[in-house]
Amino acid sequence: MKEYQKAKKTTDVSVGDSVRIIRELQELSQNQLAVLTGIPQSTLSAIENNRVSLGVERAKVLAKALHCHPAVLVFPGWELDDSKAA
C-alpha cells in the first residue's frame, strides 16, 4: 500500500457530534432513533448538544441501533499512534 500523508486540518468532534453525525449519515431523525432505542427524543437532543453525558449503557444501545461500535461514539477523537505500533 502506498504511503499517505495525513490531512493538515483537523476538526474536534464531541461525543454529541459523533452521535448526530452517525445518525444523520443513516438518514434517521431523532424521533426515529428514539423509537429504535427507547431513549426519549429529548434525551437524544441533550446528548447531541452535549448537555447530557452519553454513558456506557446508552452508548451500547445507540451503537446497536446505529450499527457501529460503542467506542466510535464514546471516543470520537481517538487516534491510533502508528509510531508506537510494532
Side-chain angles (χ1 to χ4, degrees):
M1 187 159 98
K2 285 187 167 185
E3 291 295 319
Y4 66 94
Q5 184 175 8
K6 187 175 177 178
K8 300 286 187 222
K9 285 188 171 185
T10 60
T11 300
D12 289 330
V13 177
S14 70
V15 170
D17 291 335
S18 70
V19 172
R20 180 185 49 77
I21 290 165
I22 294 171
R23 176 183 59 76
E24 289 178 348
L25 285 171
Q26 295 186 28
E27 299 181 353
L28 292 171
S29 68
Q30 286 182 350
N31 287 327
Q32 290 169 319
L33 188 56
V35 169
L36 291 172
T37 62
I39 298 171
Q41 180 276 328
S42 59
T43 302
L44 292 172
S45 176
I47 290 168
E48 290 185 6
N49 288 291
N50 299 301
R51 292 191 312 264
V52 170
S53 175
L54 179 57
V56 173
E57 292 307 313
R58 279 193 284 230
K60 290 178 186 177
V61 171
L62 284 168
K64 185 173 183 179
L66 294 170
H67 309 288
C68 67
H69 193 280
V72 173
L73 302 174
V74 178
F75 304 110
W78 183 266
E79 288 187 34
L80 179 63
D81 186 355
D82 292 335
S83 66
K84 294 182 181 177

